[in-house]
Amino acid sequence: MTWGEPLKEVAEKINNVQKQAELKGNKLEFGIRLHVIVRETEEEAIDAANKLISHLDDETIAQAQRIFARMDSTGQARMQALHHGSKNNLFIAPNLWAGIGLVRGGAGTALVGNPQQVVDRIQEYQALGITKFIFSGYPHLDEAHRFAELVMPLLSEQKGLVLPTSGLNTGPFGETIGNEIRPKQTSAS
């Protein structure tokens, strides 16, 4: 599992890990964790991305970056290297925006664009060998709806792509418990 980085960096990471796995006789699948900001047009998506960080001042960003710098995490260091703690030049690759990482630890990049651009970027990661995707956004529910309405129809048109028809997440934490419990049918009295 990797966080969103430009294709070259992700390819290098996959190749290095694949070589190590093959030496031990293992075959791996690869996944990526990205936020998504999708809108009808690229301009609307960019505006939405910029709005997310519009109230961040330099001191707030600097405080977050000082905290992240103390972390013993290669992944966090890689996220910081993408934006260097600055609001300048946050698009680090086509439709890949590093603004979330200014103040959020962990996955700090987002695919930002219109539906076709987001699908194109997903396909580029797939071409590298990524088979598992974890997507989110801010606010979570709103972005999930946008992704379902704007991106999923385009993804379902991909030849050879198998989208799950069901898949209850029945893990032991948070909202996942509610996914396993279904309302009971009651008779009308």
Side-chain angles (χ1 to χ4, degrees), residues 54-124:
S54 64
H55 298 287
L56 293 178
D57 60 38
D58 291 340
E59 181 53 33
T60 301
I61 294 169
Q63 281 180 320
Q65 293 301 302
R66 284 191 295 272
I67 292 168
F68 301 152
R70 293 192 308 249
M71 295 179 177
D72 185 25
S73 167
T74 300
Q76 189 62 55
R78 289 175 72 110
M79 286 288 103
Q80 281 184 275
L82 297 175
H83 53 66
H84 306 289
S86 170
K87 285 185 178 182
N88 299 326
N89 302 316
L90 290 173
F91 278 93
I92 55 173
N95 306 106
L96 186 62
W97 183 72
I100 293 169
L102 290 171
V103 292
R104 183 199 189 279
T109 54
L111 295 178
V112 177
N114 67 44
Q116 188 60 56
Q117 290 171 318
V118 170
V119 168
D120 290 346
R121 301 297 81 82
I122 291 169
Q123 289 174 328
E124 290 171 348

Side-chain angles (χ1 to χ4, degrees), residues 9-71:
E9 285 86 346
V10 173
E12 288 172 3
K13 202 182 298 186
I14 287 172
N15 290 333
N16 290 338
V17 172
Q18 250 176 345
K19 286 178 187 173
Q20 294 300 313
E22 288 170 4
L23 289 174
K24 297 182 183 284
N26 295 322
K27 183 171 172 37
L28 302 176
E29 286 189 65
F30 295 92
I32 194 164
R33 168 77 164 82
L34 288 158
H35 301 282
V36 177
I37 302 170
V38 63
R39 298 294 186 275
E40 293 284 343
T41 69
E42 181 178 23
E43 295 76 23
E44 290 172 320
I46 291 169
D47 288 346
N50 288 329
K51 185 177 178 186
L52 277 178
I53 63 169
S54 64
H55 298 287
L56 293 178
D57 60 38
D58 291 340
E59 181 53 33
T60 301
I61 294 169
Q63 281 180 320
Q65 293 301 302
R66 284 191 295 272
I67 292 168
F68 301 152
R70 293 192 308 249
M71 295 179 177

